[in-house]
Amino acid sequence: MASDGGLVVSFGEMLIDFVPTVSGVSLAEAPGFLKAAGGAPANVAIAVARLGGKAAFLGKLGEDEFGRMLAAILRENGVDDGGIRFDDGARTALAFVTLRDDGEREFMFYRNPSADMLLRPDELDVDLIKKAKIFHYGSISLISEPCRSAHMRAMDVAKAANALLSYDINLRLPLWSSPEEAKTWIMSIWDRADIIKVSDVEFEFLTGDSTMSDETAMSLYHPNLKLLLLTLGDQGCKYYTKNFHGAVGSISVKPVDTTGAGDAFVGALLCKIVDDQSVLQDEKRLREILRFSNICGAITTTKKGAIPSLPKEPEVLALLKGAKEC
């Protein structure tokens, strides 16, 4: 882990993804599965560390072999795991992931409840949160108590310590009791975030607009927001600030598994802005960072599993040098 530089603290779930050994089949038809560490906030923390940044993960795992394995994976990847708590009464969450032929995914979750849902506010490592320059989170931790209250408390502590709040929606509708409840809770903390990232699918879910229009995107903007990002898969991303907006392309790759692509994108962005947030007001520099982040996301789709495919900087720079936008 980098010894200097600002700390990115990522809060939320970490779990085991079981990915079919072959693509394009249902879970029932899959001949076997590969075990892979997953969970968007954990992926983001590792993405930051993989690129040379300083990262910590905050969440709860089961006091079981999978939980200990996940904590070890964080440490092996240079992520501070001091904020992890272990629950001896609940298991580490599992997700079975169906890979379509185009690398896109469908999920089936086992968490009734899983340990990540049981993190309490009094279990938070408050000192770790106070050290964060960026505090990153998603919406899965808002689904149920007590984790929802822990999430709210962690945001309060981070904001009071002047951290930049980064919010990646990471919508997983099957985990919510209804789409309406998902939208209500996702929007309940919308105005707290400094940076918000939504995918094209999440954008349509929140706005009803499948055209991804700039006008609709600006309806999601709030007065304290510094950057709104709309990711468009292999088409790159759109960006919106108070003073400018635009689009940045990606590169063309053959996708194998899109798991973790958005997390690689977010991790790259946070790693690049944590020590110089003035780039959020400088369109030229921001576009360069978003181009870098898009390529990180693209690289991640070329291998199975999120964490094994998260790139290191030399790999990204080599592609960046010879790449043409798609």
Side-chain angles (χ1 to χ4, degrees):
M1 182 163 53
S3 57
D4 53 3
L7 176 66
V8 177
V9 174
S10 202
F11 173 89
E13 70 283 353
M14 189 176 193
L15 54 121
I16 302 286
D17 286 332
F18 285 94
V19 184
T21 52
V22 295
S23 300
V25 298
S26 69
L27 290 176
E29 294 167 333
F33 296 88
L34 294 171
K35 177 174 87 261
N43 292 343
V44 168
I46 292 176
V48 170
R50 194 70 65 84
L51 292 168
K54 193 173 178 183
F57 176 75
L58 199 68
K60 200 169 198 182
L61 299 169
E63 181 62 87
D64 52 40
E65 285 200 35
F66 283 150
R68 292 294 174 185
M69 182 192 94
L70 292 176
I73 286 170
L74 287 170
R75 292 193 301 274
E76 287 162 10
N77 283 279
V79 176
D80 182 343
D81 69 333
I84 290 178
R85 301 295 177 258
F86 291 92
D87 194 301
D88 56 11
R91 297 294 190 191
T92 300
L94 308 178
F96 285 83
V97 186
T98 305
L99 290 181
R100 301 202 313 244
D101 286 327
D102 62 0
E104 288 297 330
R105 308 148 296 156
E106 294 169 358
F107 294 88
M108 184 167 74
F109 294 93
Y110 285 77
R111 54 198 306 268
N112 293 306
S114 52
D116 60 287
M117 301 162 68
L118 301 177
L119 182 69
R120 303 188 310 270
D122 63 287
E123 293 179 303
L124 292 171
D125 187 336
V126 171
D127 291 336
L128 179 63
I129 298 170
K130 287 178 178 176
K131 292 175 186 172
K133 274 201 177 178
I134 296 177
F135 184 72
H136 176 75
Y137 48 87
S139 65
I140 288 176
S141 42
L142 297 172
I143 291 172
S144 61
E145 294 289 1
C147 189
R148 182 188 297 152
S149 291
H151 183 139
M152 299 296 189
R153 168 75 175 135
M155 279 197 311
D156 289 343
V157 172
K159 198 71 171 175
N162 295 315
L164 198 74
L165 298 192
S166 164
Y167 186 16
D168 179 359
I169 310 313
N170 194 36
L171 178 67
R172 295 289 180 265
L173 272 179
L175 296 179
W176 294 90
S177 61
S178 69
E180 294 74 26
E181 188 193 28
K183 188 172 181 180
T184 296
W185 281 107
I186 285 168
M187 298 307 295
S188 74
I189 60 169
W190 196 262
D191 291 352
R192 304 285 303 281
D194 299 294
I195 296 173
I196 296 175
K197 176 243 166 192
V198 293
S199 71
D200 45 4
V201 173
E202 292 160 350
F203 183 89
E204 185 173 357
F205 171 74
L206 292 173
T207 67
D209 180 4
S210 61
T211 69
M212 315 296 155
S213 75
D214 292 338
E215 185 181 3
T216 305
M218 289 310 294
S219 74
L220 292 174
Y221 212 86
H222 67 76
N224 299 316
L225 193 59
K226 293 180 170 66
L227 177 63
L228 173 66
L229 293 162
L230 169 56
T231 54
L232 304 169
D234 61 5
Q235 298 303 303
C237 67
K238 289 184 173 185
Y239 59 90
Y240 303 86
T241 73
K242 282 188 181 71
N243 301 315
F244 52 79
H245 65 85
V248 178
S250 186
I251 56 170
S252 180
V253 296
K254 183 172 172 53
V256 174
D257 176 8
T258 60
T259 307
D263 306 326
F265 172 88
V266 171
L269 171 74
L270 300 185
C271 185
K272 292 298 181 185
I273 69 170
V274 66
D275 292 316
D276 185 5
Q277 294 172 19
S278 70
V279 298
L280 299 175
Q281 288 87 47
D282 183 332
E283 187 170 13
K284 182 176 182 292
R285 290 162 66 207
L286 179 62
R287 288 182 61 86
E288 289 169 358
I289 288 171
L290 292 175
R291 176 80 169 138
F292 179 92
S293 302
N294 282 341
I295 290 179
C296 286
I299 290 170
T300 305
T301 70
T302 61
K303 303 170 194 168
K304 282 189 180 175
I307 290 170
S309 55
L310 293 169
K312 293 186 177 179
E313 188 147 20
E315 186 180 0
V316 186
L317 294 177
L319 263 179
L320 197 56
K321 197 173 178 182
K324 293 179 181 176
E325 290 191 17
C326 64

